[in-house]
Amino acid sequence: MCLIKIENLVKEYDKNTAVKGLSFEINKGEVFGLLGPNGAGKSTTISMLSGLLKPTEGKILIDGKDTLKYPMLAKNAIGLVPQDIALYPTLTAKENLYFWGRMYNLSGKLLKERVSEVLEIANLEDRKNETIKSYSGGMKRRINIAAALLHHPQILIMDEPTVGIDPQSRNHILESVKKLNSEGMTIIYTSHYMEEIEYLCTRIGIVDHGKLIAIGEKDELKKSVAKQDKIEIEISQINPHILEKAKEIYGVKSLDINDNKIIINSCGNKNILSSLLDLFSKMNAKILSIKVDEPNLESVFLNLTGRALRD
Ligand SMILES: Nc1ncnc2c1ncn2[C@@H]1O[C@H](COP(=O)(O)OP(=O)(O)O)[C@@H](O)[C@H]1O
Ligand SMILES: [Mg+2]
């Protein structure tokens, strides 16, 4: 079921157009990934979605209602975790959360309950009385996420929440996303890290230069544009005869050698691997290792734009 509908969204700044007519839908209960390189327009799109920035053109509907006409709709429905940390460094984590809670009109017993609830999600109850300036980057991120959850939003939007943090906090954040989603929250996860989007998201939109260049289920996207697998096989000895025979196998597109490894680009035909293994065993070549690189979101992006995501 469609929860958010974006129609022809445009944002012009003085000198450039950051978002050039985006239209897509986000379904209730999904983890939707917005993937794109730096400067693609992800943060600008998210700022418009959450009501912080006025679109130059276009419409945003939540549950069928126009959020540009009714701004409180977006404020109540969405919890935003901005790319830049929005916390007061000289206040403690707990004081920061009380501040943000009051911004959402929470008070009294309810506010107290919500603050301890989100501190538990961030796994930082024992550090709540320390000032934010004494926190590590990862801990600040976790409090930033906690602040966005105080008003029990229906939708959580996270803008590059793992940039520049320690692996432990990163894992904590990724697992929190999974848990919140399993409890029913719709999540929009923005990143230029394709591994995270691949791990978390079921549907993905890829943006580049302010435009949506692909959208769909993760597996469909991978299947639709990247039909090549790379296979690396390390064998005990390589001789010209083996290579000749390997080249003749149906579906092998090209073949390179690197030390004792044969690197094969194939058309994705699943029978290739067993044909290769048959051949090597017939030729008495001992197999030392095998690695198969299947298409990923990076290859999807490369295929669509001719560039790597992190160029
Ligand atoms: N406040 C602003 N004024 C002018 N240009 C901006 C502003 N914010 C972002 N931009 C430009 O808009 C484009 C998209 O930026 P942004 O939405 O931050 O991309 P992303 O989040 O995908 O890295 C970039 O070219 C950026 O330089
Ligand atoms: Mg950004």
Side-chain angles (χ1 to χ4, degrees):
M1 197 193 91
C2 167
L3 179 60
I4 303 176
K5 192 172 162 95
I6 293 167
E7 286 175 10
N8 190 33
L9 204 59
V10 174
K11 181 67 193 178
E12 285 171 7
Y13 289 117
D14 287 346
K15 292 203 182 89
N16 66 344
T17 308
V19 175
K20 300 171 184 160
L22 286 190
S23 300
F24 59 92
E25 292 181 3
I26 290 159
N27 298 320
K28 196 171 179 162
E30 72 182 353
V31 185
F32 182 84
L34 202 56
L35 177 69
N38 284 326
K42 304 181 297 296
S43 294
T44 305
T45 302
I46 274 175
S47 297
M48 291 191 280
L49 255 178
S50 43
L52 294 178
L53 199 63
K54 201 169 172 289
T56 311
E57 270 178 51
K59 258 190 184 174
I60 301 164
L61 308 174
I62 296 183
D63 260 340
K65 294 177 207 90
D66 189 337
T67 63
L68 298 173
K69 280 193 197 137
Y70 308 101
M72 282 311 285
L73 269 179
K75 191 180 171 201
N76 290 332
I78 293 174
L80 174 68
V81 185
Q83 188 168 356
D84 299 317
I85 305 254
L87 300 170
Y88 290 99
T90 54
L91 298 183
T92 66
K94 188 174 142 189
E95 286 163 347
N96 267 284
L97 291 171
Y98 269 90
F99 170 80
W100 281 108
R102 286 190 200 99
M103 298 286 278
Y104 284 113
N105 294 326
L106 297 169
S107 61
K109 192 164 158 266
L110 183 63
L111 176 57
K112 196 172 166 218
E113 275 169 19
R114 294 285 176 90
V115 168
S116 40
E117 178 188 295
V118 299
L119 275 168
E120 197 176 315
I121 295 173
N123 197 18
L124 285 167
E125 306 96 319
D126 53 339
R127 309 288 294 268
K128 67 183 176 197
N129 292 320
E130 293 172 32
T131 55
I132 290 296
K133 66 178 182 211
S134 70
Y135 269 29
S136 72
M139 288 157 73
K140 285 180 196 163
R141 278 273 164 220
R142 278 145 66 183
I143 293 294
N144 221 26
I145 296 170
L149 294 170
L150 282 164
H151 64 299
H152 281 185
Q154 200 183 355
I155 305 154
L156 182 67
I157 306 185
M158 305 172 94
D159 195 358
E160 310 249 13
T162 60
V163 170
I165 66 170
D166 58 285
Q168 201 188 342
S169 288
R170 179 173 177 267
N171 286 344
H172 180 85
I173 290 172
L174 297 182
E175 293 319 310
S176 305
V177 171
K178 290 231 162 191
K179 183 152 187 285
L180 289 164
N181 178 248
S182 73
E183 291 162 1
M185 196 175 277
T186 303
I187 296 180
I188 303 176
Y189 193 94
T190 295
S191 182
H192 67 282
Y193 293 137
M194 71 98 193
E195 299 89 343
E196 291 183 3
I197 298 268
E198 181 129 22
Y199 175 66
L200 290 173
C201 306
T202 40
R203 261 175 83 247
I204 293 156
I206 304 181
V207 284
D208 190 35
H209 298 306
K211 288 188 177 151
L212 191 72
I213 57 170
I215 187 164
E217 299 282 333
K218 177 169 58 190
D219 295 339
E220 273 170 28
L221 278 180
K222 289 198 279 187
K223 259 190 237 149
S224 67
V225 284
K227 292 201 169 59
Q228 284 200 13
D229 284 352
K230 193 170 110 188
I231 305 172
E232 258 184 46
I233 304 182
E234 189 180 359
I235 56 176
S236 52
Q237 86 267 5
I238 296 180
N239 64 51
H241 189 50
I242 289 187
L243 293 179
E244 275 312 307
K245 288 279 179 203
K247 268 186 201 157
E248 286 167 11
I249 289 175
Y250 177 73
V252 169
K253 287 175 77 176
S254 67
L255 194 147
D256 292 304
I257 303 166
N258 185 356
D259 293 332
N260 262 353
K261 282 188 192 135
I262 303 182
I263 298 154
I264 295 138
N265 283 309
S266 80
C267 67
N269 177 348
K270 295 292 171 217
N271 295 325
I272 290 177
L273 191 57
S274 63
S275 307
L276 284 165
L277 298 184
D278 278 352
L279 171 71
F280 297 145
S281 105
K282 267 190 211 137
M283 302 257 169
N284 292 324
K286 200 169 152 205
I287 293 161
L288 304 174
S289 69
I290 301 174
K291 194 173 138 216
V292 181
D293 282 343
E294 292 194 3
N296 57 24
L297 292 171
E298 180 80 45
S299 32
V300 175
F301 189 80
L302 190 69
N303 213 308
L304 289 169
T305 65
R307 304 189 324 274
L309 255 173
R310 271 170 252 185
D311 268 2

